[in-house]
Amino acid sequence: MLLAIDHVQLAMPAGGEAAARAFYGDVLGLPETPKPPKLAARGGCWFERGALKIHLGVEADFHPALKAHPGLLVSDLQTLKALLRDGGYVLRDDEPLEGYDRIYVDDPFGNRIELLEPVT
């Protein structure tokens, strides 16, 4: 029986680890977790904080996820927007979603990421 999502895996091109670390680690603030040695040989990197786990794996014939995406709950979306803009990332609005302030941003590889902050 299904219990929960353990992690989200996104694809990236070979050699993109530094760009992944800059976006997911430096801008989004997720700590990098070492991959198990047998998996580390494949490239990519993992970012985890508690139950929030985003794994990036190298895909030889890489194509970014343009529609499919993780939706990440955030606090202080306004500050995060400023950090993203300062980093050169383009933010996109979408139709309003009741109960949330939200934006979309692409990671350095073009994968769509949704950032949502509950509105109280």
Side-chain angles (χ1 to χ4, degrees), residues 92-106:
R92 293 184 312 282
D93 291 319
D94 197 16
E95 296 296 322
L97 179 62
E98 187 175 337
Y100 295 92
D101 186 11
R102 69 180 180 149
I103 57 148
Y104 289 97
V105 63
D106 292 340

Side-chain angles (χ1 to χ4, degrees), residues 1-5:
M1 297 222 182
L2 297 178
L3 299 175
I5 293 175

Side-chain angles (χ1 to χ4, degrees), residues 67 69-74 76-78 80-81 84-85 91-105 112-119:
K67 181 69 173 173
H69 63 275
L72 305 175
L73 288 176
V74 306
D76 197 0
L77 184 59
Q78 293 307 313
L80 186 52
K81 285 180 181 181
L84 288 162
R85 283 189 189 106
L91 308 179
R92 293 184 312 282
D93 291 319
D94 197 16
E95 296 296 322
L97 179 62
E98 187 175 337
Y100 295 92
D101 186 11
R102 69 180 180 149
I103 57 148
Y104 289 97
V105 63
R112 183 180 190 196
I113 307 293
E114 182 178 12
L115 303 170
L116 304 104
E117 181 175 27
V119 175

